[in-house]
Amino acid sequence: MAKELSVKHLLGIKYLTHDDIQLIFETADNFKDVINRPIKRVPSLRDITIANLFYENSTRTRLSFELAEKRLSADILNFAVSSSSVSKGETLVDTVNNILSMKVDILVMRHPNPGAAVFLSKYITANIINAGDGTHEHPTQALLDAFTIREKIGDVKGKKIAIIGDIMHSRVALSNIFCLHKLGAEVMVCGPTTLIPKYISSLGVKVSNNLMEALNWCDVANMLRIQLERQDIKYFPSLREYIMQFGLTKSILDSLDKKIIVLHPGPINRGVEITSDVADSSQSVILEQVENGVAVRMAVLYLLAGRVDKYE
C-alpha cells in the first residue's frame, strides 16, 4: 500500500485511485482511535496553517473540518465570506491569494459553482480540499459514507448501495457513485424521474423509480434530502406526494426480509425522506457518519499535509 496520496489536492473522488481511498481509510482507522481516547489531540499538523473558506452555508461539514484541524493541532483561519471583500466584488483568485499571502498551507473550500476548486487549483500553490462545489462533488462526504459502510458491514466490494432521493441536485450522490464504484460496489439510484439526470445511466448505475424495488435490492440505503434551495422549478406535484412514494418509514423498513443499514448525509428533513423512528433506529448509522467524518477529514488533512511544499 502506498504511503502517500497520488494527488496534491482533494478536488473530487474521480481524481483519486483505489489505493488513495484505501490509504485514507487506513489512516482514518488510526485517527478514530485517537478521537476516542481521553486526550484527543495529536501534534501531527502543528506547523501547518489551514484556511476554511465557505461561500455557502454549512454546519456539519464546516464544524467537522474545524474539529479535525484542531485535533491535529493545526493553526486555523476561518474566513467569513458574508463579511468579506467578496461582497464588494473581489474575485475568487484575488480573495484566495490574499489569504495565501498570510502563509496558509491548505485551503478547505465550499463554493456554489461547480468546478470552483478545480479552477482555483490552476492558479495557486496551496493544497485545496473541496468541501463541496455546487451540484458537482463532495468528496469527503463520499469517503466518510464508504468508510461507515466498511465499518458496519465489511468490505465495500460486492455490496449493493441504493442512493435514494434528489439525485439531480446532489453533489453527495455523484461523489458516492464515483467512490463506491472505485471500491467495487454496485450502485442504484432511486427517485422521481424528474430528479434523476438523463446522463446517470452512463455512470454505470442501475436506475429505479420504485422505492420498494430499491430497498429489496440493496444492502445499504443512502437517503438524500430534497434540495429545495437548488430547485428553480417544481420537480414533483407536492411534498405530500413525494413522501408517499419515496419517504422511508419504520413500517417499510420492518417489512423487508433483510436488515439493511440507513445512511443520511444531513441535514435530515424528518418526516420527508425519512421518519424520526427510522433516523433514530438501530439500523440508522447517521451519528456514526458524523463521528467518522472527523476521522476521515483528519486523515485527508494529514495525508495532504505530507504533500505541502513548506515555505523557505
Side-chain angles (χ1 to χ4, degrees):
M1 175 63 64
K3 292 304 177 187
E4 71 169 29
L5 295 177
S6 66
V7 292
K8 179 182 177 179
H9 312 286
L10 180 59
L11 302 175
I13 296 293
K14 64 184 173 186
Y15 302 105
L16 297 181
T17 66
H18 175 272
D19 283 354
D20 286 333
I21 296 171
Q22 293 295 352
L23 178 59
I24 290 168
F25 286 174
E26 289 173 13
T27 309
D29 285 332
N30 294 326
F31 282 130
K32 188 156 186 190
D33 291 338
V34 169
I35 62 178
N36 281 298
R37 68 189 193 189
I39 299 173
K40 299 174 174 61
R41 188 184 291 260
V42 290
S44 305
L45 300 192
R46 195 164 47 194
D47 59 344
I48 297 291
T49 302
I50 302 169
N52 298 309
L53 179 61
F54 280 69
Y55 280 79
E56 281 187 319
N57 292 336
S58 171
T59 302
R60 273 155 306 280
T61 302
R62 182 176 56 81
L63 291 178
S64 184
F65 267 112
E66 281 186 39
L67 187 55
E69 292 153 10
K70 288 177 180 177
R71 294 281 186 253
L72 292 165
S73 304
D75 292 322
I76 304 168
L77 179 64
N78 288 316
F79 186 79
V81 171
S82 59
S83 59
S84 73
S85 294
V86 171
S87 59
K88 302 175 185 176
E90 186 173 68
T91 68
L92 174 61
V93 172
D94 283 341
T95 298
V96 171
N97 276 327
N98 275 290
I99 294 170
L100 296 184
S101 68
M102 302 174 197
K103 306 305 183 194
V104 168
D105 301 297
I106 297 175
L107 182 72
V108 178
M109 186 177 77
R110 170 167 289 189
H111 200 279
N113 294 339
V118 175
F119 167 79
L120 196 59
S121 70
K122 302 179 190 307
Y123 291 92
I124 69 171
T125 56
N127 304 61
I128 300 170
I129 297 175
N130 179 7
D133 59 332
T135 56
H136 181 225
E137 277 221 50
H138 192 351
T140 56
Q141 181 68 49
L143 289 167
L144 74 89
D145 288 347
F147 182 84
T148 304
I149 294 168
R150 166 181 172 269
E151 184 178 70
K152 299 302 290 188
I153 60 174
D155 191 354
V156 178
K157 186 175 183 180
K159 299 298 190 295
K160 296 178 177 178
I161 320 296
I163 304 171
I164 301 165
D166 184 355
I167 308 299
M168 179 175 288
H169 300 97
S170 175
R171 53 193 169 209
V172 172
L174 193 58
S175 283
N176 263 275
I177 291 167
F178 290 146
C179 187
L180 292 167
H181 275 166
K182 285 177 188 284
L183 294 171
E186 295 182 59
V187 183
M188 175 186 286
V189 296
C190 174
T193 304
T194 51
L195 287 177
I196 295 180
K198 290 183 171 61
Y199 69 80
I200 204 77
S201 56
S202 69
L203 298 180
V205 302
K206 301 177 188 295
V207 179
S208 174
N209 304 120
N210 184 291
L211 177 65
M212 292 307 299
E213 178 186 24
L215 294 175
N216 281 310
W217 174 84
C218 73
D219 302 304
V220 178
N222 196 344
M223 306 300 296
L224 306 179
R225 70 183 177 88
I226 300 298
Q227 299 200 24
L228 296 173
E229 75 277 9
R230 298 188 189 278
Q231 298 181 13
D232 48 4
I233 61 172
K234 291 194 73 170
Y235 286 86
F236 44 85
S238 69
L239 203 55
R240 181 173 176 272
E241 187 166 330
Y242 178 87
I243 294 166
M244 288 175 64
Q245 291 194 47
F246 296 101
L248 180 57
T249 66
K250 192 68 167 64
S251 59
I252 291 175
L253 208 54
D254 292 342
S255 73
L256 303 176
D257 60 6
K258 59 183 176 180
K259 289 278 188 183
I260 66 170
I261 66 168
V262 179
L263 280 74
H264 194 303
I268 304 170
N269 288 322
R270 289 175 181 255
V272 181
E273 64 273 9
I274 59 173
T275 55
S276 286
D277 50 4
V278 171
D280 301 330
S281 73
S282 60
Q283 287 169 260
S284 163
V285 293
I286 295 169
L287 293 180
E288 286 94 329
Q289 285 174 272
V290 176
E291 180 182 348
N292 289 339
V294 177
V296 166
R297 289 177 175 120
M298 286 175 75
V300 169
L301 288 161
Y302 173 79
L303 291 166
L304 281 184
R307 302 293 306 267
V308 166
D309 299 320
K310 290 304 291 178
Y311 302 97
E312 295 296 336

